[in-house]
Amino acid sequence: GTAEYVRVFTTDNPDYYLKHSFDKTWSDYGVPYVDESCTVGASNNLVIYGHNMKNGTMFREILQYANKSYWQEHPMIRFDTLYEQGEYEVLSAFYDRVYYADENCFKFYRFIKAADKADYDNAIQNYKEKSLYDTGVTAEYGDKLITLVTCSYHKEHGRFVVVARQR
């Protein structure tokens, strides 16, 4: 993708930026924000949430990764922080949902920091199994990931997810 957005979060009110712009004024668009559990530089995986707006703004363009042809044309995602500039290779794109607490399954939004190599490898395996197509990209324990998440209306509490590995 080519869109550029500020990605921010507030620890005391993590969903604040869903309905506020970067200058803190009310906005239906909000700005993409990093999950409150993530620490830039310390987390294996930065989970970034953004609205899917019908007018094509914000994270709507990541929905295009449902099409293999779009991924073939845009295999890289640029993600810069205050600390570094980064290029990420798309590893997986899939439809999922937010699960109930008692559902025993892999919850993509809970994978932030791997407990160990086995935990990391399990997450990568789940991403690959869920993916709509094989990107040929994988990740090794220690590789940094970003996960872009937006709403999807294929089912209740549906989400569309793109996972990418830092080059």
Side-chain angles (χ1 to χ4, degrees), residues 63-81:
L63 291 168
Q64 295 181 71
Y65 278 103
N67 301 313
K68 187 175 183 179
S69 60
Y70 184 83
W71 160 73
Q72 287 170 327
E73 292 171 22
H74 306 88
M76 305 295 295
I77 294 173
R78 177 140 198 139
F79 177 71
D80 298 335
T81 69

Side-chain angles (χ1 to χ4, degrees), residues 52-63:
N52 157 18
M53 303 303 289
K54 288 185 173 58
N55 67 2
T57 60
M58 304 313 285
F59 265 25
R60 184 147 180 97
E61 71 180 40
I62 76 164
L63 291 168

Side-chain angles (χ1 to χ4, degrees), residues 79-138:
F79 177 71
D80 298 335
T81 69
L82 292 173
Y83 313 104
E84 65 179 353
Q85 294 183 329
E87 279 199 323
Y88 290 75
E89 295 177 282
V90 173
L91 183 147
S92 176
F94 56 93
Y95 290 98
D96 210 333
R97 67 179 173 91
V98 175
Y99 295 92
Y100 294 104
D102 61 355
E103 287 183 273
N104 185 19
C105 59
F106 178 75
K107 299 176 174 104
F108 69 88
Y109 45 87
R110 293 274 182 248
F111 181 69
I112 306 288
K113 187 158 176 53
D116 52 28
K117 183 181 185 302
D119 187 34
Y120 188 94
D121 290 347
N122 178 62
I124 299 302
Q125 182 181 339
N126 273 280
Y127 295 144
K128 301 296 276 178
E129 287 173 1
K130 289 174 180 284
S131 192
L132 296 168
Y133 45 83
D134 182 8
T135 64
V137 176
T138 190

Side-chain angles (χ1 to χ4, degrees), residues 39-58:
T39 306
V40 176
S43 300
N44 298 106
N45 184 22
L46 286 181
V47 180
I48 305 162
Y49 296 95
H51 270 308
N52 157 18
M53 303 303 289
K54 288 185 173 58
N55 67 2
T57 60
M58 304 313 285

